[in-house]
Amino acid sequence: TLSVTPIAIPGLSASLYGHNEQAALVCSVYDAPPGGRRALAYLPGLGSDAYYLDDPSFGLQNIPEGWHTRSAVDLNSHGVIVGNMELDDAPDTDVRPMYITGISSGAPVLNTLGPFDSAAWHEAAAGVNDSGDMVVWSQERMADDSLVDSLYVGNPGLHGQSPTPFIEIDFASAGY
């Protein structure tokens, strides 16, 4: 039976995105310092505290200078978290997809994904499966201000899988 422990976050609005068999909760917290959103996770294997993923006490390595973890949108049964980063001083203007490995070993590392579409104004991680295959959503703004969505799927070489390049899924040719 899955046991889920709620997290009280006074004064903040949070969205629950997922949990795995170890009842790890991953969510995004809105209006958190330094501005915009920040990713938060409750990881029972690391104790009873919830952590901002970029908090120094969590020990996340490899965060690019001037960026923070904005959201955590999915995790797999190996503890890999996918989510997004944003600039510290410009929330909601520049978002980059990322994934975090090494949580269970106590040495978590942030890895950036993309860019996949040089014309995209927004790219965001959307999911990860137990094989380490990841989905990234990309949005391109056209001259008439309409938006064109794309999905990219690939595996950076996780869980013993060979790296596979991220490829764009062409929904038009599939009749969608």
Side-chain angles (χ1 to χ4, degrees), residues 86-119:
E86 72 181 355
L87 286 169
D88 288 342
D89 58 355
D92 292 327
T93 59
D94 195 357
V95 176
R96 290 188 187 166
M98 57 87 178
Y99 65 99
I100 298 172
T101 59
I103 291 172
S104 60
S105 71
V109 176
L110 183 142
N111 305 274
T112 57
L113 291 168
F116 299 101
D117 179 354
S118 61

Short mmCIF file of all heavy atoms in Angstrom, two decimals, residues 86-119:
data_model
loop_
_atom_site.label_atom_id
_atom_site.label_comp_id
_atom_site.label_asym_id
_atom_site.label_seq_id
_atom_site.Cartn_x
_atom_site.Cartn_y
_atom_site.Cartn_z
N GLU A 86 14.66 28.15 -14.14
CA GLU A 86 14.43 29.48 -14.69
C GLU A 86 15.48 30.42 -14.14
O GLU A 86 16.10 30.15 -13.11
CB GLU A 86 13.01 29.98 -14.39
CG GLU A 86 12.75 30.37 -12.96
CD GLU A 86 11.32 30.84 -12.73
OE1 GLU A 86 10.53 30.95 -13.67
OE2 GLU A 86 10.99 31.08 -11.56
N LEU A 87 15.66 31.54 -14.82
CA LEU A 87 16.61 32.55 -14.38
C LEU A 87 16.18 33.15 -13.05
O LEU A 87 14.99 33.39 -12.83
CB LEU A 87 16.72 33.67 -15.42
CG LEU A 87 17.49 33.32 -16.69
CD1 LEU A 87 17.29 34.41 -17.73
CD2 LEU A 87 18.96 33.12 -16.39
N ASP A 88 17.14 33.41 -12.17
CA ASP A 88 16.83 33.98 -10.85
C ASP A 88 16.12 35.32 -10.95
O ASP A 88 15.18 35.58 -10.22
CB ASP A 88 18.11 34.17 -10.03
CG ASP A 88 18.70 32.86 -9.56
OD1 ASP A 88 17.98 31.83 -9.56
OD2 ASP A 88 19.89 32.87 -9.19
N ASP A 89 16.57 36.18 -11.86
CA ASP A 89 16.03 37.54 -11.90
C ASP A 89 14.99 37.76 -12.99
O ASP A 89 14.58 38.89 -13.24
CB ASP A 89 17.16 38.55 -12.04
CG ASP A 89 18.01 38.32 -13.29
OD1 ASP A 89 17.77 37.31 -13.99
OD2 ASP A 89 18.89 39.14 -13.57
N ALA A 90 14.56 36.71 -13.66
CA ALA A 90 13.60 36.86 -14.74
C ALA A 90 12.63 35.68 -14.77
O ALA A 90 12.60 34.92 -15.73
CB ALA A 90 14.33 36.99 -16.08
N PRO A 91 11.83 35.50 -13.70
CA PRO A 91 10.91 34.37 -13.68
C PRO A 91 9.94 34.39 -14.86
O PRO A 91 9.50 35.46 -15.29
CB PRO A 91 10.18 34.50 -12.35
CG PRO A 91 10.48 35.86 -11.85
CD PRO A 91 11.70 36.35 -12.53
N ASP A 92 9.65 33.20 -15.37
CA ASP A 92 8.70 32.98 -16.46
C ASP A 92 9.16 33.49 -17.82
O ASP A 92 8.40 33.44 -18.76
CB ASP A 92 7.33 33.56 -16.13
CG ASP A 92 6.65 32.82 -15.01
OD1 ASP A 92 6.85 31.61 -14.90
OD2 ASP A 92 5.92 33.46 -14.24
N THR A 93 10.39 34.01 -17.93
CA THR A 93 10.83 34.50 -19.24
C THR A 93 11.73 33.51 -19.95
O THR A 93 11.72 33.45 -21.17
CB THR A 93 11.57 35.84 -19.11
OG1 THR A 93 12.70 35.66 -18.25
CG2 THR A 93 10.66 36.92 -18.56
N ASP A 94 12.53 32.79 -19.23
CA ASP A 94 13.43 31.81 -19.84
C ASP A 94 13.40 30.55 -19.00
O ASP A 94 13.79 30.57 -17.84
CB ASP A 94 14.84 32.37 -19.92
CG ASP A 94 15.73 31.57 -20.87
OD1 ASP A 94 15.26 30.55 -21.42
OD2 ASP A 94 16.89 31.96 -21.06
N VAL A 95 12.91 29.46 -19.56
CA VAL A 95 12.78 28.19 -18.86
C VAL A 95 13.58 27.15 -19.62
O VAL A 95 13.53 27.10 -20.85
CB VAL A 95 11.30 27.76 -18.76
CG1 VAL A 95 11.16 26.40 -18.12
CG2 VAL A 95 10.49 28.80 -18.02
N ARG A 96 14.34 26.33 -18.88
CA ARG A 96 15.12 25.26 -19.50
C ARG A 96 14.79 23.93 -18.84
O ARG A 96 14.73 23.84 -17.62
CB ARG A 96 16.61 25.52 -19.35
CG ARG A 96 17.11 26.67 -20.17
CD ARG A 96 18.61 26.75 -20.10
NE ARG A 96 19.07 27.97 -20.76
CZ ARG A 96 20.28 28.46 -20.64
NH1 ARG A 96 21.16 27.86 -19.87
NH2 ARG A 96 20.61 29.56 -21.26
N PRO A 97 14.63 22.86 -19.64
CA PRO A 97 14.37 21.55 -19.05
C PRO A 97 15.64 20.98 -18.42
O PRO A 97 16.75 21.28 -18.84
CB PRO A 97 13.91 20.70 -20.23
CG PRO A 97 14.37 21.42 -21.46
CD PRO A 97 14.56 22.85 -21.10
N MET A 98 15.43 20.15 -17.37
CA MET A 98 16.55 19.53 -16.68
C MET A 98 16.11 18.21 -16.07
O MET A 98 14.92 17.91 -16.01
CB MET A 98 17.10 20.46 -15.59
CG MET A 98 16.10 20.91 -14.55
SD MET A 98 15.96 19.75 -13.17
CE MET A 98 14.79 20.59 -12.12
N TYR A 99 17.09 17.42 -15.63
CA TYR A 99 16.79 16.22 -14.85
C TYR A 99 17.83 16.09 -13.75
O TYR A 99 18.95 16.58 -13.86
CB TYR A 99 16.69 14.96 -15.72
CG TYR A 99 17.96 14.53 -16.40
CD1 TYR A 99 18.75 13.51 -15.86
CD2 TYR A 99 18.36 15.10 -17.60
CE1 TYR A 99 19.92 13.09 -16.50
CE2 TYR A 99 19.51 14.68 -18.24
CZ TYR A 99 20.29 13.68 -17.69
OH TYR A 99 21.43 13.27 -18.32
N ILE A 100 17.44 15.41 -12.67
CA ILE A 100 18.31 15.23 -11.51
C ILE A 100 18.50 13.74 -11.27
O ILE A 100 17.54 12.98 -11.22
CB ILE A 100 17.70 15.90 -10.27
CG1 ILE A 100 17.57 17.41 -10.51
CG2 ILE A 100 18.55 15.62 -9.03
CD1 ILE A 100 16.80 18.14 -9.42
N THR A 101 19.75 13.34 -11.14
CA THR A 101 20.11 11.96 -10.83
C THR A 101 20.88 11.93 -9.52
O THR A 101 21.30 12.97 -9.01
CB THR A 101 20.98 11.34 -11.94
OG1 THR A 101 22.17 12.13 -12.09
CG2 THR A 101 20.25 11.28 -13.27
N GLY A 102 21.10 10.73 -8.97
CA GLY A 102 21.96 10.55 -7.81
C GLY A 102 21.35 10.89 -6.47
O GLY A 102 22.07 11.00 -5.48
N ILE A 103 20.03 11.02 -6.40
CA ILE A 103 19.41 11.38 -5.13
C ILE A 103 19.59 10.29 -4.10
O ILE A 103 19.97 10.55 -2.96
CB ILE A 103 17.92 11.72 -5.34
CG1 ILE A 103 17.80 13.02 -6.13
CG2 ILE A 103 17.20 11.84 -4.00
CD1 ILE A 103 16.42 13.36 -6.56
N SER A 104 19.38 9.03 -4.49
CA SER A 104 19.48 7.94 -3.51
C SER A 104 20.91 7.73 -3.02
O SER A 104 21.12 7.23 -1.93
CB SER A 104 18.92 6.65 -4.09
OG SER A 104 19.64 6.29 -5.25
N SER A 105 21.90 8.14 -3.81
CA SER A 105 23.30 7.99 -3.40
C SER A 105 23.75 9.13 -2.49
O SER A 105 24.86 9.10 -1.96
CB SER A 105 24.21 7.92 -4.62
OG SER A 105 24.28 9.18 -5.26
N GLY A 106 22.91 10.16 -2.35
CA GLY A 106 23.28 11.31 -1.54
C GLY A 106 24.13 12.33 -2.27
O GLY A 106 24.66 13.25 -1.66
N ALA A 107 24.29 12.16 -3.58
CA ALA A 107 25.07 13.11 -4.38
C ALA A 107 24.26 13.52 -5.61
O ALA A 107 24.60 13.16 -6.74
CB ALA A 107 26.40 12.48 -4.79
N PRO A 108 23.16 14.28 -5.41
CA PRO A 108 22.31 14.65 -6.55
C PRO A 108 23.01 15.61 -7.51
O PRO A 108 23.73 16.51 -7.08
CB PRO A 108 21.10 15.30 -5.89
CG PRO A 108 21.58 15.76 -4.56
CD PRO A 108 22.67 14.83 -4.15
N VAL A 109 22.78 15.36 -8.81
CA VAL A 109 23.40 16.17 -9.85
C VAL A 109 22.32 16.64 -10.82
O VAL A 109 21.50 15.85 -11.28
CB VAL A 109 24.47 15.36 -10.63
CG1 VAL A 109 25.04 16.17 -11.78
CG2 VAL A 109 25.56 14.89 -9.70
N LEU A 110 22.34 17.94 -11.14
CA LEU A 110 21.43 18.51 -12.13
C LEU A 110 22.07 18.42 -13.50
O LEU A 110 23.25 18.74 -13.66
CB LEU A 110 21.13 19.96 -11.77
CG LEU A 110 20.12 20.66 -12.68
CD1 LEU A 110 19.24 21.58 -11.85
CD2 LEU A 110 20.81 21.46 -13.76
N ASN A 111 21.29 17.99 -14.48
CA ASN A 111 21.73 17.89 -15.88
C ASN A 111 20.74 18.68 -16.73
O ASN A 111 19.53 18.49 -16.59
CB ASN A 111 21.72 16.43 -16.34
CG ASN A 111 22.55 15.54 -15.44
OD1 ASN A 111 23.73 15.41 -15.63
ND2 ASN A 111 21.92 14.94 -14.43
N THR A 112 21.23 19.53 -17.61
CA THR A 112 20.34 20.31 -18.47
C THR A 112 20.00 19.51 -19.72
O THR A 112 20.77 18.64 -20.15
CB THR A 112 20.96 21.66 -18.86
OG1 THR A 112 22.20 21.43 -19.51
CG2 THR A 112 21.17 22.54 -17.64
N LEU A 113 18.85 19.79 -20.29
CA LEU A 113 18.39 19.18 -21.53
C LEU A 113 18.18 20.27 -22.57
O LEU A 113 17.67 21.34 -22.25
CB LEU A 113 17.06 18.45 -21.32
CG LEU A 113 17.09 17.20 -20.47
CD1 LEU A 113 15.66 16.78 -20.11
CD2 LEU A 113 17.80 16.08 -21.20
N GLY A 114 18.53 19.98 -23.81
CA GLY A 114 18.25 20.90 -24.90
C GLY A 114 19.30 21.99 -25.03
O GLY A 114 20.35 21.90 -24.44
N PRO A 115 19.00 23.01 -25.82
CA PRO A 115 17.73 23.24 -26.51
C PRO A 115 17.54 22.30 -27.69
O PRO A 115 18.50 21.82 -28.28
CB PRO A 115 17.84 24.70 -26.96
CG PRO A 115 19.30 24.94 -27.11
CD PRO A 115 19.98 24.07 -26.09
N PHE A 116 16.26 22.07 -28.00
CA PHE A 116 15.91 21.15 -29.08
C PHE A 116 15.45 21.89 -30.33
O PHE A 116 15.66 21.42 -31.43
CB PHE A 116 14.82 20.18 -28.61
CG PHE A 116 15.28 19.35 -27.44
CD1 PHE A 116 14.89 19.66 -26.16
CD2 PHE A 116 16.15 18.30 -27.63
CE1 PHE A 116 15.34 18.91 -25.08
CE2 PHE A 116 16.60 17.54 -26.57
CZ PHE A 116 16.20 17.85 -25.29
N ASP A 117 14.79 23.01 -30.17
CA ASP A 117 14.29 23.80 -31.29
C ASP A 117 14.82 25.21 -31.12
O ASP A 117 14.42 25.92 -30.19
CB ASP A 117 12.76 23.79 -31.29
CG ASP A 117 12.15 24.60 -32.41
OD1 ASP A 117 12.89 25.29 -33.15
OD2 ASP A 117 10.92 24.57 -32.55
N SER A 118 15.73 25.63 -31.99
CA SER A 118 16.35 26.95 -31.83
C SER A 118 15.35 28.09 -31.98
O SER A 118 15.59 29.20 -31.52
CB SER A 118 17.49 27.12 -32.84
OG SER A 118 16.97 27.02 -34.16
N ALA A 119 14.19 27.83 -32.59
CA ALA A 119 13.17 28.87 -32.75
C ALA A 119 12.15 28.87 -31.61
O ALA A 119 11.28 29.73 -31.56
CB ALA A 119 12.45 28.69 -34.08
#
